[in-house]
Amino acid sequence: IKHAFNGCPTGIINISMEKTDDVCMLKIADNGVGICKDFDLNQTDSLGMYLVTSLASQLNAELDIESNNGTVFTLKFREES
């Protein structure tokens, strides 16, 4: 949140969860400034990105990050039985 809306007086954050069969998809999206074009997830020491990658690891999830009119983090993972 701190970086997403840097310089913006307001913003929107959407969180959604979908399940199809045994695949779950968690999406966290904002309409903020977006991530820099040269952003490298493996070369950051950001606490927020650490938390996102840690969650993805704990869920054995596939993580996708999009930056277009804000940022969208998508985690796809299988439901455990």
Side-chain angles (χ1 to χ4, degrees):
I1 294 172
K2 174 181 173 183
H3 298 290
F5 304 112
N6 189 12
C8 301
T10 61
I12 298 171
I13 297 174
N14 289 309
I15 301 172
S16 65
M17 181 80 147
E18 297 176 23
K19 182 178 175 223
T20 306
D21 296 323
D22 65 340
V23 176
C24 300
M25 185 167 54
L26 172 63
K27 275 192 179 184
I28 301 103
D30 66 61
N31 67 339
V33 297
I35 294 178
C36 300
K37 301 250 185 255
D38 61 348
F39 175 78
D40 183 352
L41 185 60
N42 298 313
Q43 298 296 316
T44 184
D45 59 356
S46 160
L47 175 60
M49 291 301 170
Y50 171 77
L51 294 172
V52 169
T53 56
S54 292
L55 177 61
S57 177
Q58 290 173 30
L59 294 172
N60 292 321
E62 175 186 320
L63 172 62
D64 183 47
I65 303 172
E66 298 174 45
S67 185
N68 185 12
N69 297 320
T71 304
V72 180
F73 294 92
T74 305
L75 292 103
K76 291 181 184 175
F77 55 97
R78 295 205 173 277
E79 179 182 30
E80 291 188 18
S81 11

